[in-house]
């Protein structure tokens, strides 16, 4: 059994992954309209993250989601702590979940780490979003992963299959 099949099996077992039992066919179909609809939907980010694991690129969605949470931090002390954690996890060279951003963006973040603002990761987040939208999102839509999810939801709802 390939690693991709293993992820598919885990994803589609509602008893192992409560998200699948909660996601609607309508929500899943909307994801094909735009990456924005996928990333802003209730269950889309977690389903997409599961898919990205099959591509070994789930650090992108993790970073993007972490940045969304980071922007909501109001305490400066907590912001400093989380900014450093984001840097060591995703930005610094050889970080455990290093994301693909260019040197000027990294240098800008390093400069802002002493007194991080809500927006200090915005450019890195934009770059990661663009990578996901242009690279992995089109593959996601064409993947067996997404196609089988639609099929399963159609079958569960007894809706005729239409592509």
């Amino acid at each position: 059994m390939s690693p991709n099949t293993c992820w598919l099996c885990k994803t589609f077992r509602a008893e192992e992954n409560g998200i699948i039992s909660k996601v609607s066919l309508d929500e899943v179909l909307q994801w094909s309209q735009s990456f924005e609809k996928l990333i802003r939907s209730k269950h889309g980010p977690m389903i997409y993250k599961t898919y990205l694991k099959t591509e070994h690129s789930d650090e992108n969605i993790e970073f993007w989601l972490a940045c969304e949470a980071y922007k909501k931090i109001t305490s400066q002390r907590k912001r400093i702590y989380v900014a450093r954690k984001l840097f060591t996890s995703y930005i610094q060279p050889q970080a455990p979940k290093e994301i693909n951003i260019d040197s000027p963006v990294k240098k800008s973040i390093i400069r802002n780490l002493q007194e991080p603002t809500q927006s200090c990761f915005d450019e890195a987040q934009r770059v990661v979003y663009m990578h996901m939208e242009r690279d992995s999102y089109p593959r996601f839509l064409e993947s067996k992963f997404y196609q089988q999810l639609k099929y399963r939801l159609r079958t569960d709802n007894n809706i005729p299959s239409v592509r």
Side-chain angles (χ1 to χ4, degrees):
M1 183 181 292
S2 75
N4 288 355
T5 305
C6 181
W7 277 109
L8 287 172
C9 293
K10 287 182 183 176
T11 301
F12 295 132
R13 288 189 195 131
E15 64 275 6
E16 287 183 17
N17 189 341
I19 293 172
I20 297 299
S21 63
K22 295 175 186 169
V23 69
S24 71
L25 177 61
D26 186 49
E27 179 182 358
V28 170
L29 293 175
Q30 287 183 18
W31 299 343
S32 66
Q33 294 173 7
S34 71
F35 183 64
E36 185 72 16
K37 287 194 180 196
L38 169 66
I39 204 87
R40 297 289 180 191
S41 72
K42 184 174 182 178
H43 301 102
M46 296 317 295
I47 300 287
Y48 187 59
K49 178 181 175 181
T50 302
Y51 167 75
L52 290 177
K53 285 181 181 182
T54 69
E55 291 197 333
H56 306 286
S57 62
D58 53 315
E59 70 279 355
N60 291 320
I61 189 72
E62 287 180 8
F63 175 75
W64 190 88
L65 291 168
C67 287
E68 289 296 290
Y70 173 82
K71 290 177 193 179
K72 296 174 184 170
I73 297 171
T74 55
S75 160
Q76 183 63 12
R77 174 180 272 172
K78 186 172 181 181
R79 186 178 296 136
I80 291 169
Y81 172 79
V82 174
R84 289 180 180 157
K85 190 170 179 167
L86 285 170
F87 179 78
T88 58
S89 297
Y90 299 100
I91 309 294
Q92 77 181 8
Q94 306 301 311
K97 299 177 181 182
E98 189 175 1
I99 56 170
N100 184 12
I101 57 173
D102 60 21
S103 182
V105 174
K106 285 183 183 183
K107 288 179 182 175
S108 172
I109 292 169
I110 292 168
R111 280 193 306 272
N112 290 319
L113 277 181
Q114 293 304 315
E115 297 214 22
T117 63
Q118 283 182 309
S119 61
C120 77
F121 292 99
D122 283 0
E123 184 61 18
Q125 186 183 24
R126 187 191 66 75
V127 170
V128 166
Y129 182 97
M130 190 177 64
H131 287 311
M132 290 188 296
E133 183 178 39
R134 291 183 181 169
D135 298 333
S136 53
Y137 171 66
R139 289 192 303 275
F140 169 73
L141 294 178
E142 296 299 320
S143 70
K144 285 183 180 179
F145 184 95
Y146 180 63
Q147 299 304 319
Q148 289 178 2
L149 176 58
K150 289 191 305 185
Y151 176 79
R152 176 177 176 172
L153 291 170
R154 282 188 176 117
T155 303
D156 289 352
N157 293 321
N158 294 320
I159 297 172
S161 180
V162 179
R163 281 195 170 196

